[in-house]
Amino acid sequence: MTIFVTGGAGYIGSHTCVELLQNGHNVVVYDNLSNSSVEALKRVETITGKLITFIIGDIRDESSLTQAMQGCDAVIHFAGLKAVGESVAKPLEYYDNNVQGTLCLLRSMQTNSIKTLVFSSSATVYGDPESLPLREDHPLRTTNPYGQTKLVIEDILRDLYRSDNTWQIMILRYFNPVGAHESGLIGEDPQDIPNNLMPFIAQVAIGRRENLNIFGENYPTHDGTGVRDYIHVVDLAHGHLKALEALTSPQCTAINLGTGIGYSVLDVVNAFSKASQQSIPYIIAPRREGDIAACYADPSKANTAIGWSAKRNLDQMCHDAWNFQSKNPTGYK
Ligand code: NAD
Ligand code: UFG
């Protein structure tokens, strides 16, 4: 199949392109490079020995998008802005990019009679969990504009399927993607100060930052620091392949992609320190606004619905994140 990948130059998109190419699919990447580099795609070609068709464009440019996806069989939609804090400061930008962009994408798909879609959602749609582990039928609500864009898009997809039940839609709710490809060629390359824990720790380990701020030590968790379900990005990428392969009949299905295991900030610091053989100096800082104590998945639906489960553990995640960071101390630059 030929897969149209929006946001394919980004962190999760580039790893998914590797999976797709290595499993015999052709890939057309459509990305405006607002948070990524074309270098990532060159490296995907190096890893796989296959070529990617790359089109620079914005998903809100509907005519360019409609033309670009001609001849494709299915779409994986990663393109979007993803920084929670920035979304609070720039809500209009987030709604425009993520929601308006997705509306353009869905219309372009209709124009091209392409009705198979895998969409990047997030565990953020569960808000502050009422119960753990999180199942897909947990009530949906969010606490910030970024999360709201994901929820609105999920609702749009459910409404679209209700209006035309020939669509084949998989909504993937990611937990906390971390790590990098085992080659050390592609990985996470934040443009500014990292918001997320693992890339921040990696930059402390390499000496780009002095110390980590641990946001809160008095949560009701096993050591007082926040607990999350970290998932290796290569496992996550594989989940997209399995989701695509499972889309052989009309549906609109939401699935968690997580490991089911919660690790605390201190667990991650210790595992990273062991994997990198570097010390990770940290300071205990106040809680970060909007953070929740704990969040981890019940991943069993992914196993039954698409035959997927995560294979890589926290040590592997830290090892591969460090491998990428140490081979690319300034990222793709
Ligand atoms: P990323 O920023 O690395 O990748 C997103 C890509 O989309 C980038 O290459 C960017 O240039 C591109 N893009 C953004 N707006 C665009 C537009 N209007 N037109 C064309 N291209 C555009 O982020 P990522 O971590 O790879 O995330 C991919 C998707 O997964 C996003 O939708 C994100 O919200 C979602 N997600 C990410 C996480 C996470 O922690 N990384 C967690 C849950 C969900
Ligand atoms: N943390 C620190 N210091 C840091 C960064 C993070 O202590 O410098 C802590 C946080 O307080 C939290 C944990 O590390 O306890 C994980 O934080 P991340 O920012 O890495 O991840 P979040 O769970 O807060 O957010 C991520 C994505 C969001 C998504 C959410 C739910 O970044 O986009 O998961 O899926 F909405």
Side-chain angles (χ1 to χ4, degrees):
M1 291 205 290
T2 298
I3 317 300
F4 189 76
V5 185
T6 74
Y11 173 46
I12 305 168
S14 56
H15 288 81
T16 302
C17 287
V18 171
E19 286 290 320
L20 294 171
L21 290 165
Q22 286 179 336
N23 285 277
H25 297 292
N26 298 316
V27 168
V28 177
V29 167
Y30 187 92
D31 198 305
N32 66 1
L33 301 180
S34 59
N35 195 37
S36 53
S37 153
V38 75
E39 177 63 20
L41 295 176
K42 290 189 187 142
R43 295 187 183 192
V44 170
E45 293 184 332
T46 303
I47 293 168
T48 60
K50 308 246 169 83
L51 293 177
I52 292 174
T53 304
F54 175 49
I55 297 154
I56 295 190
D58 195 293
I59 52 169
R60 290 162 296 181
D61 181 349
E62 203 170 317
S63 65
S64 153
L65 192 60
T66 304
Q67 207 181 351
M69 73 169 70
Q70 273 175 20
C72 292
D73 302 295
V75 173
I76 305 184
H77 178 31
F78 294 106
L81 301 175
K82 63 166 182 176
V84 172
E86 188 185 56
S87 79
V88 176
K90 300 175 179 172
L92 300 185
E93 217 172 287
Y94 271 68
Y95 283 106
D96 187 50
N97 197 82
N98 295 3
V99 179
Q100 178 61 18
T102 301
L103 289 174
C104 289
L105 179 80
L106 295 171
R107 282 193 296 262
S108 294
M109 289 179 71
Q110 271 179 329
T111 306
N112 281 289
S113 301
I114 304 170
K115 292 192 172 176
T116 303
L117 172 69
V118 177
F119 170 63
S120 302
S121 188
S122 165
T124 194
V125 299
Y126 297 122
D128 197 349
E130 276 173 17
S131 56
L132 289 168
L134 283 157
R135 290 161 42 101
E136 288 81 356
D137 56 6
H138 183 280
L140 303 181
R141 54 176 170 228
T142 62
T143 52
N144 59 73
Y146 164 71
Q148 197 61 37
T149 67
K150 292 293 177 192
L151 195 46
V152 169
I153 295 167
E154 284 204 11
D155 284 336
I156 291 171
L157 295 176
R158 284 184 278 269
D159 285 341
L160 178 63
Y161 177 69
R162 241 172 255 130
S163 75
D164 172 358
N165 63 11
T166 64
W167 279 80
Q168 309 189 125
I169 300 171
M170 204 70 86
I171 294 169
L172 302 181
R173 296 182 182 146
Y174 314 153
F175 281 69
N176 289 57
V178 295
H181 190 262
E182 60 180 10
S183 62
L185 284 173
I186 56 171
E188 190 166 11
D189 180 25
Q191 311 284 302
D192 288 315
I193 301 171
N195 295 307
N196 296 118
L197 180 65
M198 182 87 72
F200 202 104
I201 292 179
Q203 292 193 4
V204 173
I206 202 80
R208 268 171 77 178
R209 312 211 173 266
E210 213 169 306
N211 53 258
L212 168 73
N213 287 306
I214 295 186
F215 299 138
E217 59 167 347
N218 56 357
Y219 283 108
T221 61
H222 61 270
D223 60 19
T225 65
V227 163
R228 297 291 185 275
D229 185 339
Y230 297 93
I231 173 168
H232 196 297
V233 67
V234 173
D235 280 333
L236 193 66
H238 188 61
H240 290 74
L241 179 74
K242 298 295 282 181
L244 202 60
E245 287 174 355
L247 277 178
T248 53
S249 61
Q251 60 190 289
C252 180
T253 310
I255 290 178
N256 288 337
L257 293 185
T259 64
I261 303 169
Y263 287 107
S264 72
V265 176
L266 284 171
D267 291 335
V268 178
V269 168
N270 292 332
F272 202 98
S273 184
K274 192 174 99 189
S276 63
Q277 296 290 302
Q278 306 292 316
S279 68
I280 315 288
Y282 62 81
I283 294 170
I284 301 296
R287 289 182 179 192
R288 185 171 63 178
E289 206 185 317
D291 268 0
I292 54 178
C295 172
Y296 49 92
D298 176 343
S300 53
K301 187 174 174 190
N303 204 0
T304 47
I306 63 172
W308 173 91
S309 60
K311 300 280 181 272
R312 292 162 179 81
N313 63 19
L314 182 62
D315 290 341
Q316 185 85 52
M317 299 176 210
C318 294
H319 174 275
D320 291 339
W322 175 243
N323 186 37
F324 177 73
Q325 181 69 71
S326 49
K327 286 184 173 154
N328 307 273
T330 54
Y332 290 121
K333 283 176 214 81

